[in-house]
Amino acid sequence: MMMEGSGLSPDDVNERIASNADFLDMVFSWSIDDIFNDHFYSEKFMQIPDSFETVMEYFSSFVQPLLEETRVDLRSSLEIISRAPYAEIVSYDKIKRDRLLYSVQIDEWRNRYNDRGKEPYKTLPGDIFVLAKSRPESIYDLQVLAQTWVLASVTNISKNNSEDEIDDDGSSTTSFKVLSSRDIKEIDDSCSSLFLDHNSCESSNCSILSEDLCMEISSSLNTSQYEAVVTSLQATQCEHTSQVQLVWGPPGTGKTKTLGTLLYFLRRLNVRTLICAPTNVAITEVASRLLELIMNSSETDSVGTFDSLGDILLFGNKDRLRVGSNIEDIYLDYRVKRLTECFAPLTGWRSCFPSLSNFLEDCVSQYNVFTENEMIKAKEQSIDESVTAPQIEPFLTFVRNRFKAAAQPVRRCIFLLCTHISTSCIGDNNFKFMNHLINLLKSFEKLLFQSELRSEELLELFSSREDEDSLVDGAGLNNMPLLEAHRRECISILRTLQQSLGALFPNIMSKESTIELCFKMASLIFCTASSSYKLYTTPMEPLSLLVIDEAAQLKECESAIPLQLPGLRHAVLFGDEYQLPALVKSELSKNADFGRSLFQRLSLLGWPKHLLNVQYRMHPAISSFPNAEFYLKQILDASSVRSKCYERQYLPALMYGPYSFINVSEGREEVDDDGRSRRNMVEAVVVAKMLHNLYKSMCKD
């Protein structure tokens, strides 16, 4: 018996969704026949209009295409269910009586590497499962055994269980919460298997900029790039009206450079900004470009020794973002881990700062206690009283060893605090103190490890109670007064910082409070457009600006996710509607313009765009066609692509010119092993041969 369909007409569906009915309820109401019925929503499928009378009309127009796209995506996943990751259910418990919400525990994922060359599957919120009594090998199994399976969607991953854990018996388990389409007990109390589609369906007053600032912006940009950046920055300074800017970036015109420069100066102006992109790859590229600009900047940071990045934050799934060493300092999970270390009572500044200051102040007393303990220990271990006294390490060796041990965690803690806490949050004075302390510790250590320094001299120096001013005045005579002066200054700064940090962060100790701190101090937040929904429930100051990269590749309904965040006043969209559009699988949705981006809509309505009009990538012979066909010959070729060195040919054949069309007549397309991608092995061989010839030619040169 099939799962029953919703029984609702498209108009009824539209009304339910528009009145805030649960999107998942509609998905769960589909039967197998509904999912595989390509005409399920075709009867009253309407074109998305160019303009709207009301906000409700605007949002409602996307309902049918979104449901249709979800249906096609789900169908595509079910078609290859035999290759989907699956696992055995260890236990499941209903959480609420009035809702089909369950806590589920499984043993381990099998078949999780089914897509070659991709990361192993990991459970994420929004993933759709098939919970079944027995593992289905095909759609036919689901059709025949309709009452022995249900659909379920992951709502939450256990906080202490984001990765597979190892049980006492050596087996691995994973826990998460799911919302089910109907009561799991209906399929069987002994429900034993959980199946998951790897490519899971996912629910888815104006001030003028200073002349100096404008001069600084123009130093590395061409005229069109400069105008786009300055106009966008100017818009953010408007308080009496909202602004939307479109930056039109054809291929090779420096869109990413322009965007990076804009973000760099938004940071300088402390404009709280959310930066989004359609994909994880795109958002990490923008973030890395900004960090590159910051690191290469000649501007001297107030910290001096450190690069403070606490006001920049990237969040999302680490594997999908492919977080590398170049951007890990701004990645939320990495930052929380490092700051938790700094704020922990036993390992953080609350412990290491007083430990070092106490040692520097009482090193003589601590040495005396150390020698007494060594004598007692030796006496207890010696039976023959005629044995000579034990060799006690000199005061100088004691101080050197203990200082290095106590100073190392202080240095690390300062480095982490200065890197991961924003200047505005921790204060300029504290940053200056920490920077100065690092230099003092370095200088103190250098003086302490001088070869001519004698233990007796150091003991006498640190035992004295001389006036600090006299020590400083005598610093020019030899290094001993300077050593003592550094010691006392280190003690003073350590205690000042300990008191100041205690007042600033009295309750920052847990992971949750650290996460809240990270969002609170961030002025630039990076994430994909789909991940921005998490910011609706994140306690933080409102963001004022939204910047979207690759905006023409983002469905308009996807842009609405970050655009509705409370407090947003302005938006800047970077894109090019003549490049790749958003991916839409359903032909019905595609024909209804479901894939149309907000960037494209505004362009069609005549919204002004800042065109980046100089291209630096293509040989003029290549750029001439797209320039004439798509950009009304508005794009200029940079001098670099018109130079003779850009015309170099590694091989003499005509096919190795600026471009060529190669007909591979014997090739044919075939479906790859994953059942989705296509490949042409003959074309691949031809490309490999061309690369081989080019490589040989380059080696000769």
Side-chain angles (χ1 to χ4, degrees):
M1 180 178 178
M2 300 293 180
M3 290 176 57
E4 293 183 2
S6 64
L8 297 175
S9 68
D11 283 343
D12 294 329
V13 172
N14 203 68
E15 184 177 344
R16 284 192 60 187
I17 299 292
S19 60
N20 298 319
D22 192 348
F23 181 83
L24 271 177
D25 285 347
M26 303 308 302
V27 175
F28 286 165
S29 70
W30 295 337
S31 67
I32 286 291
D33 284 348
D34 293 338
I35 294 172
F36 280 80
N37 180 7
D38 289 337
H39 301 287
F40 188 56
Y41 285 114
S42 62
E43 184 179 345
K44 294 187 177 181
F45 217 79
M46 298 180 65
Q47 187 83 6
I48 298 174
D50 294 335
S51 59
F52 308 90
E53 295 293 331
T54 65
V55 173
M56 178 61 72
E57 181 187 352
Y58 174 77
F59 284 113
S60 297
S61 68
F62 293 101
V63 172
Q64 295 294 345
L66 179 58
L67 282 168
E68 167 65 8
E69 185 70 3
T70 303
R71 183 197 64 78
V72 173
D73 203 13
L74 188 56
R75 170 182 177 158
S76 177
S77 299
L78 291 175
E79 285 175 341
I80 56 170
I81 195 170
S82 63
R83 293 196 296 275
Y86 65 97
E88 294 288 322
I89 291 180
V90 176
S91 64
Y92 66 90
D93 297 295
K94 196 170 185 179
I95 298 176
K96 294 184 178 181
R97 292 182 179 180
D98 59 333
R99 294 187 66 200
L100 298 175
L101 188 65
Y102 296 85
S103 176
V104 174
Q105 188 176 37
I106 62 173
D107 55 1
E108 61 179 344
W109 288 111
R110 302 168 181 84
N111 206 26
R112 64 192 301 184
Y113 291 89
N114 65 345
D115 286 345
R116 297 179 302 169
K118 296 183 180 180
E119 301 87 0
Y121 169 71
K122 290 182 181 179
T123 313
L124 293 172
D127 288 348
I128 298 291
F129 293 166
V130 171
L131 279 68
K133 183 177 180 180
S134 60
R135 184 189 175 199
E137 293 293 338
S138 67
I139 294 301
Y140 177 76
D141 293 342
L142 297 179
Q143 291 173 322
V144 173
L145 305 172
Q147 295 304 314
T148 62
W149 63 274
V150 298
L151 286 176
S153 175
V154 179
T155 62
N156 188 32
I157 309 296
S158 175
K159 289 183 178 179
N160 300 320
N161 191 214
S162 58
E163 300 289 342
D164 288 359
E165 295 180 346
I166 305 298
D167 287 341
D168 295 336
D169 61 359
S171 62
S172 64
T173 60
T174 301
S175 301
F176 44 82
K177 296 177 182 178
V178 301
L179 189 64
S180 176
S181 59
R182 69 175 193 269
D183 197 331
I184 296 179
K185 286 184 176 292
E186 290 183 18
I187 62 175
D188 200 303
D189 285 338
S190 62
C191 174
S192 59
S193 300
L194 175 64
F195 302 92
L196 172 67
D197 156 40
H198 191 192
N199 294 315
S200 54
C201 171
E202 299 182 2
S203 325
S204 336
N205 194 34
C206 299
S207 61
I208 304 300
L209 300 179
S210 70
E211 185 177 343
D212 290 342
L213 184 63
C214 291
M215 288 291 291
E216 188 177 349
I217 295 171
S218 67
S219 62
S220 61
L221 302 176
N222 64 40
T223 303
S224 63
Q225 293 169 341
Y226 166 79
E227 290 175 353
V229 171
V230 169
T231 305
S232 298
L233 289 174
Q234 191 71 57
T236 66
Q237 306 302 299
C238 266
E239 298 179 357
H240 64 276
T241 183
S242 295
Q243 301 278 326
V244 177
Q245 303 292 323
L246 302 184
V247 179
W248 188 12
T253 55
K255 176 181 63 66
T256 304
K257 179 181 180 180
T258 306
L259 174 54
T261 304
L262 172 63
L263 297 178
Y264 178 84
F265 286 98
L266 284 170
R267 184 191 188 216
R268 289 263 300 273
L269 294 172
N270 197 30
V271 178
R272 287 184 54 76
T273 305
L274 172 63
I275 304 96
C276 291
T279 65
N280 292 289
V281 173
I283 201 64
T284 52
E285 171 62 23
V286 176
S288 61
R289 180 59 65 94
L290 172 63
L291 291 183
E292 186 180 333
L293 275 175
I294 293 171
M295 300 308 174
N296 294 336
S297 172
S298 58
E299 175 187 349
T300 302
D301 194 276
S302 60
V303 180
T305 304
F306 307 101
D307 294 310
S308 175
L309 300 173
D311 57 341
I312 306 174
L313 187 65
L314 166 70
F315 74 89
N317 181 272
K318 181 178 181 179
D319 294 328
R320 293 182 179 179
L321 286 170
R322 299 175 185 251
V323 176
S325 58
N326 61 324
I327 60 172
E328 68 178 1
D329 280 338
I330 66 169
Y331 180 57
L332 176 62
D333 293 359
Y334 181 84
R335 175 167 293 168
V336 169
K337 189 175 182 180
R338 298 282 77 84
L339 286 181
T340 300
E341 176 186 337
C342 285
F343 289 124
L346 300 180
T347 61
W349 60 268
R350 290 180 177 89
S351 173
C352 66
F353 280 23
S355 177
L356 179 58
S357 64
N358 291 339
F359 170 74
L360 290 174
E361 184 174 43
D362 300 324
C363 53
V364 175
S365 300
Q366 291 184 28
Y367 179 68
N368 292 335
V369 172
F370 167 75
T371 56
E372 289 177 10
N373 290 337
E374 289 297 303
M375 294 293 291
I376 294 172
K377 191 186 302 179
K379 187 175 181 179
E380 291 175 348
Q381 294 175 353
S382 176
I383 300 176
D384 186 356
E385 295 183 358
S386 63
V387 175
T388 58
Q391 291 291 323
I392 306 296
E393 68 179 21
F395 179 67
L396 178 58
T397 304
F398 174 85
V399 173
R400 283 173 172 173
N401 293 338
R402 297 302 192 279
F403 172 78
K404 289 183 71 174
Q408 197 281 329
V410 170
R411 288 190 177 104
R412 175 169 173 77
C413 198
I414 288 176
F415 171 77
L416 294 177
L417 286 171
C418 288
T419 300
H420 296 289
I421 300 290
S422 66
T423 309
S424 60
C425 182
I426 206 169
D428 285 331
N429 285 338
N430 286 327
F431 269 101
K432 290 175 182 176
F433 276 136
M434 286 190 277
N435 183 64
H436 184 45
L437 179 60
I438 289 296
N439 293 328
L440 275 174
L441 293 175
K442 183 178 180 180
S443 179
F444 180 85
E445 185 172 4
K446 184 177 180 180
L447 293 170
L448 187 63
F449 279 79
Q450 292 178 110
S451 59
E452 64 270 18
L453 190 61
R454 297 291 177 262
S455 188
E456 298 78 9
E457 295 175 339
L458 187 67
L459 181 59
E460 182 181 357
L461 178 69
F462 285 177
S463 299
S464 66
R465 296 298 178 189
E466 296 183 54
D467 181 75
E468 187 174 352
D469 292 336
S470 65
L471 287 169
V472 176
D473 292 340
L477 301 176
N478 55 61
N479 289 328
M480 296 299 284
L482 185 58
L483 186 65
E484 173 66 359
H486 282 357
R487 180 174 75 106
R488 294 190 178 188
E489 190 173 5
C490 284
I491 295 170
S492 175
I493 293 177
L494 282 165
R495 290 180 173 172
T496 299
L497 285 173
Q498 186 179 348
Q499 183 178 7
S500 180
L501 294 176
L504 282 171
F505 311 112
N507 303 314
I508 307 296
M509 295 185 186
S510 66
K511 180 179 178 181
E512 289 73 19
S513 60
T514 304
I515 292 175
E516 186 174 337
L517 173 66
C518 290
F519 280 100
K520 177 182 177 181
M521 63 187 178
S523 65
L524 300 182
I525 299 177
F526 292 81
C527 66
T528 61
S530 59
S531 297
S532 65
Y533 79 92
K534 297 179 182 179
L535 297 177
Y536 283 89
T537 56
T538 301
M540 64 178 185
E541 292 296 317
L543 297 156
S544 63
L545 173 67
L546 170 66
V547 175
I548 301 180
D549 188 27
E550 305 292 0
Q553 294 183 26
L554 197 64
K555 302 182 190 75
E556 187 171 358
C557 59
E558 292 173 321
S559 298
I561 301 172
L563 276 169
Q564 294 182 86
L565 282 168
L568 279 179
R569 296 182 55 82
H570 313 290
V572 181
L573 311 182
F574 282 75
D576 178 14
E577 65 268 38
Y578 295 116
Q579 295 185 50
L580 287 175
L583 176 64
V584 178
K585 297 180 180 179
S586 166
E587 286 299 320
L588 283 173
S589 297
K590 187 182 298 183
N591 293 335
D593 284 334
F594 180 61
R596 182 166 54 192
S597 65
L598 179 60
F599 188 98
Q600 185 179 7
R601 175 191 292 282
L602 293 175
S603 297
L604 292 172
L605 294 175
W607 199 270
K609 297 184 288 188
H610 302 282
L611 174 65
L612 306 182
N613 64 0
V614 181
Q615 71 90 13
Y616 301 85
R617 182 183 302 167
M618 295 169 276
H619 188 282
I622 300 174
S623 65
S624 60
F625 172 74
N627 189 14
E629 185 70 16
F630 301 109
Y631 305 108
L632 303 176
K633 297 183 179 181
Q634 300 177 85
I635 310 300
L636 305 175
D637 296 314
S639 58
S640 58
V641 300
R642 289 186 278 107
S643 63
K644 288 186 177 181
C645 64
Y646 213 77
E647 298 178 359
R648 182 177 181 184
Q649 265 186 267
Y650 289 100
L651 294 176
L654 185 61
M655 66 181 290
Y656 293 107
Y659 69 92
S660 60
F661 296 95
I662 303 171
N663 179 27
V664 184
S665 58
E666 301 300 321
R668 64 183 181 86
E669 284 191 346
E670 56 187 34
V671 179
D672 204 343
D673 294 340
D674 63 5
R676 299 185 180 187
S677 303
R678 294 184 175 274
R679 62 186 179 191
N680 189 316
M681 298 305 295
V682 177
E683 288 182 352
V685 171
V686 171
V687 171
K689 181 65 174 176
M690 292 171 61
L691 291 173
H692 178 69
N693 292 338
L694 285 167
Y695 178 74
K696 286 197 304 181
S697 177
M698 290 174 65
C699 290
K700 290 178 182 179
D701 294 343

